[in-house]
Amino acid sequence: MASLRQRSVHSKDNDNEVKMDGNGQFIDLASLSSQSNQPPPMYRAIRFFFKICLHSFYGNVEVEGTENIAPDNYPAILVSNHSNSLTDAIAILSTVPPKSRSMIRMTAKDTFWHQPGVFNYVIKSAGTIPIKRRKDYDNQKVDNADAMGALIDSLGAGSCVCMFPEGISRYHPRLAPFKPGVAMIASDTLAKFQDKPEFSLTIMTSSINYLHREKFRSDVLITFHAPIVLTPQHDANLFSTNKEERTEAIKKLTELLESTVRSNLLDAQDWGTVRVGHVARKIYAGHLGTRISVGQYVRLTRKFVAAFGHHQQVATTNEKKEDGDSSGDSDSSSEQTVNGMDHEAIFKIDTLAKDLAYYQDQLDFYHLKDYRIKQGKPPTKVLLGKLFQRFLLACLLSTMCIPGLILWAPVFIAVKYKEKQIRQKGPLEDNLDEIAQYKLMISTFFLPQIWGFWVLMTFPIAMVSGPGIVVLMWLTIRWLEDLIHNAKSMLSLLRLLFMTQDTMYSLRDTRQELAGRVHEFAVKQLGLPDDPEELVKENKTRTANVGWLGKLSGSYFSIKRRRRKDWNEVMRLHDVSHYD
């Protein structure tokens, strides 16, 4: 769609003026409705609360591209993938800087308006627009005319509306095909304001990557892409009276939105491909650890995932072609290549993927990390010394955690019970995306009550115990993270202690052979640097392990997050290498 333009937005520090690359400009429509986009006090409170919840549940939330967010009073639609139920909305509301956009209106299923509950009240109080879904009405036809009218009027007044074009949240490695709803709303909005030559509608796209969406203290990457600016003058085909022309324009806009969101996601046909991509990234650049940003980590892994995923598609096409050409009348050139890949290349990539999966199976069987195999088995005295050190640290951290764990016990018990219920409900694709949402809801319900109960129990010293309980509970989480990390290290050292040298030699030989093949594949096929250390130089974010005393505390303890060797680590006694 030639008329669609993606540009970067650069706002001045204390000015409403906005500059954009290209010829388009955001148009300030504050004169239409000066109060329409001022967030109510409840919205501000909800956004602040959501931010606390998001940064408490997830260990690291990295945000990219906030300069691409259209500022207040510029009509905008924010589009994102939808893989983690209501947590996606929380992530969007929490990470869009208020200075960039003071209020974002969400859309949500209208059943929230018909049910009681604190969470439903929160949704309704956040300026959310209700949308009827056919699946909530026995697949009967629903009428959203009033909701669409309110949404378009809101856009006309300069609001920003967030929508999830997949139409449903699901736990799946593949982004669902986008529905044309956003493009149709853009079409209707441009048609309504076509008599205003200065009118423009900005469509902002974002990609949300949860490294382990339902895992406590895992990591999140949110990327805002360059916006698409639509104007009645340049994009008249979106509201053309010619039905075919309008339909085609809506289709192309929908495809552009989907491809842009997909461009920064770990997107694959199945979880096995995602797993193999992680193993390849780990062998190629695992030693970089958290010296690269979460964004670099995701994009590096995505290169491998996309390559193995493309190979699968090509291999499938090849098999179908061979089946169809069994009569012997096929073109000789097509027998040699499929989509630019010959049979030998396909075979090599297929073999590499299988060998990587087998290697990860071996690591899972022995419960060891890749870097342990790379380093080899240390002498027995060294292993025993490290085990003793970690045992002492485990005793210290366990003692420090006990008081806080008493406070956290109701939350942990309720969360595990609810998670067990969800996993038993049915297919993971339909239910597992709700786990993080319910963990946040349960914590929201219990934590104020826990705090209030213990403040009452210590009422004579409430001025001290009130903030003290908050600090203790947060430090307990941090100590617990380090305790689990320490315990996991102890288990690895114990396995190394009892592992035979023959087994270690076999694993090291396998890894060394794989490392050469992965490196060749990364450099020659994916265009990655010959020296992975070059990626560290590109990291413009802050160093991950920086604590309250700078480098000294960062090497041991940080209040914000635990020490880790890789962004893929989670708060578990074992590495999570299976994602299904």
Side-chain angles (χ1 to χ4, degrees):
M1 195 171 186
S3 61
L4 298 181
R5 302 168 300 284
Q6 289 184 292
R7 309 183 179 97
S8 297
V9 184
H10 303 281
S11 300
K12 290 186 177 181
D13 292 338
N14 298 304
D15 201 329
N16 287 329
E17 181 183 355
V18 176
K19 294 182 179 180
M20 300 187 60
D21 296 334
N23 298 322
Q25 293 286 333
F26 288 124
I27 306 301
D28 191 339
L29 298 176
S31 58
L32 291 179
S33 179
S34 59
Q35 300 298 323
S36 61
N37 300 310
Q38 294 300 316
M42 177 59 73
Y43 179 89
R44 297 175 189 271
I46 290 171
R47 182 175 58 197
F48 176 74
F49 180 71
F50 279 175
K51 189 170 185 176
I52 293 176
C53 290
L54 186 74
H55 287 268
S56 298
F57 187 83
Y58 294 105
N60 185 59
V61 180
E62 187 172 299
V63 185
E64 301 177 324
T66 53
E67 70 276 6
N68 293 319
I69 298 173
D72 283 336
N73 299 319
Y74 297 95
I77 301 176
L78 177 55
V79 172
S80 183
N81 57 305
H82 200 16
S83 62
N84 206 5
S85 196
L86 292 178
T87 311
D88 294 329
I90 292 174
I92 292 293
L93 290 177
S94 304
T95 55
V96 173
K99 292 182 179 179
S100 299
R101 198 85 200 192
S102 61
M103 183 174 183
I104 294 180
R105 297 184 183 276
M106 309 298 295
T107 55
K109 56 184 180 181
D110 73 323
T111 53
F112 285 122
W113 275 254
H114 309 317
Q115 300 171 355
V118 175
F119 213 76
N120 295 345
Y121 173 76
V122 168
I123 292 174
K124 291 183 286 186
S125 301
T128 310
I129 299 173
I131 302 293
K132 293 181 180 179
R133 304 188 306 175
R134 294 185 63 174
K135 64 175 294 185
D136 298 323
Y137 292 88
D138 298 325
N139 288 322
Q140 300 296 317
K141 186 176 181 180
V142 295
D143 182 11
N144 277 309
D146 292 339
M148 291 299 103
L151 193 154
I152 292 172
D153 289 341
S154 177
L155 289 173
S159 293
C160 177
V161 179
C162 181
M163 303 189 73
F164 302 100
E166 289 178 273
I168 187 173
S169 173
R170 62 182 195 149
Y171 190 87
H172 196 274
R174 172 71 74 180
L175 182 72
F178 276 16
K179 300 182 185 301
V182 172
M184 294 174 69
I185 290 171
S187 169
D188 293 341
T189 303
L190 291 180
K192 183 169 184 177
F193 297 100
Q194 60 181 300
D195 295 333
K196 297 181 179 294
E198 76 282 4
F199 182 83
S200 68
L201 175 64
T202 303
I203 302 184
M204 303 176 291
T205 53
S206 67
S207 303
I208 307 177
N209 282 281
Y210 301 92
L211 301 192
H212 295 279
R213 68 195 79 186
E214 81 283 8
K215 297 290 191 297
F216 186 46
R217 304 299 291 167
S218 57
D219 304 300
V220 184
L221 171 68
I222 303 174
T223 304
F224 295 97
H225 305 281
I228 300 168
V229 181
L230 306 175
T231 64
Q233 180 181 0
H234 293 94
D235 303 286
N237 52 350
L238 276 169
F239 56 92
S240 172
T241 55
N242 185 310
K243 184 177 180 181
E244 292 184 359
E245 182 181 358
R246 178 176 178 270
T247 302
E248 182 65 18
I250 289 174
K251 178 183 177 183
K252 288 184 177 180
L253 177 56
T254 303
E255 290 174 349
L256 176 60
L257 296 176
E258 181 179 332
S259 63
T260 305
V261 172
R262 191 190 302 275
S263 67
N264 207 54
L265 293 176
L266 293 179
D267 191 71
Q269 290 182 327
D270 53 65
W271 292 112
T273 304
V274 176
R275 182 175 185 249
V276 169
H278 275 290
V279 183
R281 184 263 315 154
K282 185 163 45 181
I283 291 178
Y284 168 73
H287 62 284
L288 301 182
T290 53
R291 289 188 292 151
I292 59 175
S293 67
V294 180
Q296 289 178 297
Y297 169 93
V298 168
R299 283 184 285 275
L300 180 59
T301 307
R302 186 187 185 281
K303 283 182 178 290
F304 287 103
V305 171
F308 288 118
H310 176 68
H311 146 260
Q312 283 185 335
Q313 295 175 354
V314 172
T316 302
T317 302
N318 192 11
E319 292 175 1
K320 291 181 179 180
K321 195 169 190 63
E322 289 178 347
D323 292 341
D325 291 344
S326 57
S327 61
D329 297 330
S330 62
D331 188 336
S332 60
S333 62
S334 65
E335 292 178 358
Q336 301 299 321
T337 63
V338 180
N339 292 345
M341 297 183 67
D342 57 33
H343 292 268
E344 183 179 356
I346 294 174
F347 177 77
K348 288 178 65 177
I349 297 176
D350 184 60
T351 303
L352 177 60
K354 291 179 179 177
D355 291 345
L356 287 170
Y358 175 76
Y359 175 66
Q360 184 61 56
D361 289 341
Q362 294 293 100
L363 294 181
D364 292 344
F365 177 79
Y366 291 107
H367 296 282
L368 292 174
K369 288 178 175 288
D370 173 67
Y371 80 90
R372 297 281 191 191
I373 305 301
K374 183 180 180 180
Q375 293 175 349
K377 183 178 179 179
T380 301
K381 291 182 178 180
V382 175
L383 285 173
L384 291 174
K386 289 183 176 181
L387 278 168
F388 182 68
Q389 291 176 358
R390 283 162 175 75
F391 174 75
L392 293 179
L393 181 59
C395 293
L396 174 64
L397 290 171
S398 299
T399 304
M400 294 166 63
C401 285
I402 290 174
L405 286 177
I406 295 174
L407 301 178
W408 277 104
V411 176
F412 290 162
I413 293 172
V415 162
K416 294 303 294 184
Y417 176 75
K418 186 62 179 180
E419 181 176 355
K420 183 178 179 181
Q421 280 188 323
I422 293 174
R423 290 181 179 275
Q424 294 175 345
K425 284 173 61 176
L428 295 181
E429 180 179 327
D430 296 331
N431 300 298
L432 204 56
D433 64 297
E434 296 182 352
I435 289 181
Q437 165 193 321
Y438 279 104
K439 285 182 177 179
L440 287 171
M441 291 173 63
I442 291 170
S443 300
T444 302
F445 175 77
F446 274 105
L447 290 179
Q449 298 188 56
I450 293 172
W451 180 83
F453 173 80
W454 287 105
V455 168
L456 289 176
M457 292 292 291
T458 58
F459 187 74
I461 55 170
M463 295 295 291
V464 176
S465 63
I469 290 171
V470 175
V471 172
L472 175 61
M473 294 186 75
W474 175 251
L475 288 178
T476 299
I477 292 298
R478 285 296 301 109
W479 292 329
L480 185 62
E481 285 183 287
D482 278 355
L483 175 61
I484 292 175
H485 177 82
N486 183 73
K488 183 161 58 176
S489 179
M490 286 181 63
L491 292 174
S492 295
L493 292 172
L494 280 171
R495 295 182 184 104
L496 283 175
L497 183 64
F498 293 103
M499 176 179 282
T500 64
Q501 286 290 0
D502 289 342
T503 301
M504 175 57 74
Y505 289 149
S506 175
L507 288 172
R508 288 194 71 184
D509 289 343
T510 299
R511 189 201 183 280
Q512 187 174 1
E513 191 269 338
L514 276 175
R517 292 161 61 191
V518 168
H519 189 83
E520 180 183 6
F521 179 68
V523 175
K524 294 183 178 180
Q525 299 293 328
L526 305 184
L528 292 171
D530 185 64
D531 183 6
E533 289 289 338
E534 293 293 324
L535 299 173
V536 179
K537 299 177 183 178
E538 301 173 7
N539 184 9
K540 298 180 181 180
T541 62
R542 293 182 178 180
T543 304
N545 293 326
V546 174
W548 50 14
L549 294 178
K551 294 183 179 180
L552 178 62
S553 69
S555 64
Y556 173 67
F557 182 80
S558 168
I559 291 180
K560 291 184 64 176
R561 60 182 67 92
R562 79 175 181 274
R563 297 171 299 131
R564 57 182 75 189
K565 292 183 178 293
D566 189 271
W567 289 119
N568 199 46
E569 291 183 6
V570 295
M571 198 171 167
R572 294 289 187 276
L573 288 175
H574 58 86
D575 283 341
V576 178
S577 67
H578 288 277
Y579 301 87
D580 53 357

